[in-house]
Amino acid sequence: MKKSILFFAGLSLLVSACNNPPAPTNGGEQETAITQADQDLLATAKTFFQPMPSEALNPENPLTEPKIKLGKMLYFEKNLSVKSTQSCNTCHNLSAFGVDNLPTSPGDNGIPGTRNSPTTFNSALRTAQFWDGRNKDVEEQAGGPVMNPAEMGMPDKKVVEERLNTLGNYKALFAEAFPGVAEPVSFENMQKAIGAFERTLLTPARFDQYLAGDVNALSADERTGLKSFIDNGCTACHMGSLLGGNMMMKVGLFGDYNQMMKAVTPDYGLYEQTKAEADKGMFFTPGLRNVEKTGPYFHNGGISSLPEAIKIIAKLQLNKDLTDAEAQSMATFFNSLTGDIPEDVKKDPFAGL
């Protein structure tokens, strides 16, 4: 009798398993049989890309909970702009993958700037900041917009420090974040705190599971797009853990990029800073993490369609005329680069106050 019960219990479990297959890992599709071609593609992908690191550390700015907490408050603090209308989050909205989805962002003066606002997610892993790569890290970058007349417009560092010394409980928060410092409220410590917070803004995605060996973390269509991305030579600029974000590159090797990107006013990249002829058209290569969410695209935000942006950059840099199908296939692959943003990251610390 006991054997019969065990037999039928096992049969019931088998039927249940057949009727309820394991949840797919690739966002909706059932797992597919892994072919040798799939294994070969994964092996090739591993030569160009690395999984997202679990941390983005800076030995010159150790991460502590008080510093990260302060950094988040400063990231959302509108009083860091001259008219108290703008915060870091205004242009780099953490509820919208770190961007505002505008071609260019208006500053505290209400006038749109000249360059598209890059995402702050994963930016701490970049080897330089801004479209022209003029800052080395997120700590240095954090001070730029505060002082830029076209952005937050503060007149000098002393005014920033005076505001922070009189606002809320910032004096206590700075003292906790920077213990043992005689004057903890400083412009430089503001930069360090914001930088520390931004170093926590990492978004691992399904592509990382794929690189770890789970072929079915990507759908068959996404794997086709990945193969096209590699085969067409896009990895010349977009490699590493961010699929970019690690090098300067001259844009427009095979065409007029200002024209193709629909730039109203020509922008010559690093040349605008240095005036050196060799720097004309030099821009820092953006990473492609969360790219499906961070449009419009390019330094001027001139292109709203991701497949169109793919076709334009392929022509400009590789002299390749991609078909609509090829561009859409690559855009489908980019879906696997989109990570999740925890709700506590999105939450405005000043909401309801």
Side-chain angles (χ1 to χ4, degrees), residues 74 77-86 108 146 152-171 174 185:
L74 293 169
E77 180 58 76
K78 291 185 177 180
N79 287 299
L80 290 179
S81 66
V82 67
K83 297 178 182 177
S84 300
T85 64
Q86 308 285 111
D108 194 70
V146 176
M152 298 168 83
M154 293 296 273
D156 57 55
K157 295 179 180 180
K158 185 177 180 181
V159 172
V160 175
E161 294 168 351
E162 288 173 351
R163 279 202 184 181
L164 290 172
N165 268 305
T166 58
L167 281 171
N169 63 339
Y170 275 122
K171 288 182 72 172
F174 269 87
V185 180

Side-chain angles (χ1 to χ4, degrees), residues 25 34 37-46 49 51 205-219 222-224 226-227 230 333 336:
T25 59
I34 300 171
D38 291 324
Q39 294 285 17
D40 291 345
L41 176 61
L42 175 57
T44 300
K46 287 181 176 182
F49 314 114
R206 285 187 290 111
F207 189 57
D208 298 295
Q209 299 171 33
Y210 174 79
L211 292 175
D214 181 3
V215 171
N216 278 298
L218 269 60
S219 69
E222 288 169 342
R223 295 196 296 270
T224 298
L226 169 60
K227 187 175 188 305
I230 294 172
F333 157 58
S336 71

Side-chain angles (χ1 to χ4, degrees), residues 250-307:
K250 185 176 286 290
V251 179
L253 299 177
F254 298 98
D256 184 338
Y257 69 89
N258 278 304
Q259 181 182 40
M260 294 184 71
M261 294 173 183
K262 303 177 183 178
V264 176
T265 302
D267 186 334
Y268 297 106
L270 186 58
Y271 173 83
E272 306 289 349
Q273 291 283 323
T274 67
K275 302 306 178 184
E277 193 66 23
D279 291 334
K280 268 194 174 179
M282 294 294 289
F283 288 91
F284 197 76
T285 304
L288 298 180
R289 295 280 181 165
N290 302 312
V291 68
E292 62 156 335
K293 302 290 187 181
T294 58
Y297 303 103
F298 300 127
H299 66 277
N300 66 323
I303 304 299
S304 59
S305 163
L306 182 53

Side-chain angles (χ1 to χ4, degrees), residues 48-204:
F48 294 110
F49 314 114
Q50 294 82 47
M52 172 83 70
S54 60
E55 297 178 305
L57 303 180
N58 178 0
E60 297 178 358
N61 185 28
L63 301 186
T64 65
E65 285 303 319
K67 194 185 295 182
I68 293 168
K69 177 184 175 181
L70 171 62
K72 181 172 183 180
M73 292 187 68
L74 293 169
Y75 189 95
F76 281 85
E77 180 58 76
K78 291 185 177 180
N79 287 299
L80 290 179
S81 66
V82 67
K83 297 178 182 177
S84 300
T85 64
Q86 308 285 111
S87 70
C88 301
N89 195 65
T90 303
C91 300
H92 306 282
N93 188 344
L94 298 184
S95 293
F97 287 87
V99 299
D100 58 9
N101 296 122
L102 297 173
T104 60
S105 307
D108 194 70
N109 57 12
I111 301 172
T114 58
R115 288 179 179 163
N116 179 260
S117 296
T119 178
T120 43
F121 282 103
N122 309 306
S123 62
L125 294 171
R126 290 165 49 110
T127 56
Q129 307 296 318
F130 290 114
W131 278 102
D132 54 19
R134 66 183 180 271
N135 284 170
K136 66 177 182 178
D137 53 33
V138 289
E139 286 81 7
E140 186 177 5
Q141 186 278 333
V146 176
M147 304 299 295
N148 190 328
E151 296 185 64
M152 298 168 83
M154 293 296 273
D156 57 55
K157 295 179 180 180
K158 185 177 180 181
V159 172
V160 175
E161 294 168 351
E162 288 173 351
R163 279 202 184 181
L164 290 172
N165 268 305
T166 58
L167 281 171
N169 63 339
Y170 275 122
K171 288 182 72 172
L173 291 171
F174 269 87
E176 186 179 6
F178 299 95
V181 178
E183 297 291 338
V185 180
S186 69
F187 190 87
E188 290 72 22
N189 284 345
M190 176 204 76
Q191 291 176 271
K192 288 182 178 180
I194 294 174
F197 171 61
E198 290 186 355
R199 289 184 178 279
T200 69
L201 301 179
L202 304 183
T203 58

